[in-house]
Amino acid sequence: MTDVKLEGKIALITGASRGIGRAIASSFAENGASLALAARGIEDLQQVAGTLRAKGAVAEAFACDVTVAEQVERLPALVEEKLGGIDILVNNAGAAGSHKFVNHPDGLWELLLEVNLTSVYRMTKAVVPGMIERKYGRIINIASVASKVGLRYMSAYVASKHGVLGLTRALAAEMTDHNITVNAICPGYVDTPMTDFAVSFMVARTGRSETEARKILEDTNPQQRLISPEEVASLAVWLASEDARGTSGQAINIDGGAVMF
Ligand code: NDP
């Protein structure tokens, strides 16, 4: 048997229906965690939960829009009722979008700040009291290399992801007395539906072929490839495990060395 790192732990993963969130759910399941999977689209989530259950995992799907405060606030109690208190929270749900800054649509700014940053604030605020009570917690925020560097035409996304990193560090400092670690993972472009959408957007905007557009994104990584969702999941397993108990307030890049801080 492989080294199972999360036996007996209960993990809530937002945005678990596809891409990075789904890969994290799968790796957490392989490592023995019980899973609460959240996203807006319940059918896709049910499918992910069903696949994991077929492999012997405990997995429950919860419809939750992370931008709707009431849905977020009631989620921990629903999870507790079905699975128990949340030990691990992965704030992964997110959205991307780009626009040049001149005439930047206010709606895009508000949407990305809400989905990528305020949701992390709200979800963590809803989950953390239970962790404090149980004197244990692992919080993992899926940030981005855009948490560390500026990228042209991406002011709202970059601002939201810098905010996630600021919140990660502030919370890590505040949670040290409670045996709760708070860390961020900062990937470069990952091979997920979000990146497929970025490729399609570039094709539509610039008239480049799909291969050319994808190559531009691959070339942002010095290894000239997209990161796989499983690479992100593997780091999430480690951060959630006992092995990482001394690591908090960190923002770990997975980008082939594109950003070196
Ligand atoms: P995907 O678009 O492939 O998946 C996003 C997931 O989030 C889906 O499960 C989606 O489900 C869910 N989601 C989106 N909006 C909401 C919402 N309002 N409420 C609840 N769930 C929501 O994204 P990725 O897997 O690529 O990205 C995951 C995270 O990783 C994001 O935070 C992203 O910013 C970050 N990231 C991604 C990179 C990449 O290159 N792909 C690089 C660096 C960071 P549904 O639509 O059903 O709600």
Side-chain angles (χ1 to χ4, degrees):
M1 192 164 151
T2 53
D3 185 17
V4 173
K5 292 183 180 299
L6 307 178
E7 195 69 58
K9 298 289 189 245
I10 294 160
L12 167 60
I13 304 164
T14 68
S17 58
R18 55 179 188 263
I20 294 170
R22 186 173 61 187
I24 292 174
S26 179
S27 294
F28 275 21
E30 281 165 19
N31 279 277
S34 298
L35 303 170
L37 312 174
R40 291 167 302 180
I42 191 69
E43 281 177 18
D44 288 347
L45 266 187
Q46 294 282 20
Q47 211 166 17
V48 175
T51 307
L52 296 176
R53 279 200 292 261
K55 292 181 187 165
V58 175
E60 296 287 343
F62 297 87
C64 175
D65 184 333
V66 295
T67 66
V68 179
E70 308 82 67
Q71 293 185 21
V72 170
E73 283 156 13
R74 70 165 186 250
L75 185 59
L78 297 175
V79 173
E80 189 151 347
E81 204 177 286
K82 287 228 166 172
L83 297 171
I86 298 162
D87 301 300
I88 305 162
L89 168 63
V90 182
N91 285 306
N92 165 76
S98 73
H99 199 284
K100 61 182 170 35
F101 189 71
V102 174
N103 295 325
H104 192 282
D106 292 346
L108 180 61
W109 174 266
E110 282 151 18
L111 174 78
L112 293 191
L113 268 287
E114 191 70 31
V115 185
N116 292 342
L117 177 57
T118 306
S119 73
V120 178
Y121 161 76
R122 284 213 188 95
M123 187 60 80
T124 308
K125 193 170 152 217
V127 168
V128 113
M131 290 179 166
I132 291 175
E133 206 178 296
R134 292 184 295 276
K135 300 183 176 56
Y136 183 89
R138 293 276 191 273
I139 298 169
I140 300 166
N141 296 327
I142 307 303
S144 167
V145 291
S147 299
K148 297 189 174 177
V149 296
L151 301 167
R152 58 162 63 190
Y153 311 134
M154 298 201 62
S155 42
Y157 188 77
V158 168
S160 70
K161 291 294 185 179
H162 271 64
V164 170
L165 184 44
L167 178 57
T168 301
R169 288 172 171 153
L171 201 60
E174 200 167 324
M175 290 299 128
T176 48
D177 294 343
H178 302 289
N179 193 28
I180 297 170
T181 65
V182 191
N183 290 288
I185 298 178
C186 300
Y189 280 103
V190 183
D191 195 1
T192 72
M194 182 183 278
T195 295
D196 293 340
F197 182 79
V199 168
S200 309
F201 187 79
M202 209 189 300
V203 167
R205 272 290 165 91
T206 65
R208 287 187 175 93
S209 71
E210 195 184 317
T211 312
E212 285 167 337
R214 193 166 283 273
K215 178 91 172 60
I216 289 171
L217 302 189
E218 287 167 357
D219 286 349
T220 60
N221 176 342
Q223 298 174 342
Q224 296 177 311
R225 66 180 183 91
L226 299 180
I227 301 298
S228 77
E230 290 72 25
E231 289 174 87
V232 181
S234 173
L235 178 55
V237 168
W238 181 75
L239 285 171
S241 75
E242 226 15 62
D243 294 346
R245 62 192 175 280
T247 298
S248 195
Q250 302 307 304
I252 304 173
N253 305 345
I254 309 184
D255 64 351
V259 172
M260 296 218 184
F261 72 99

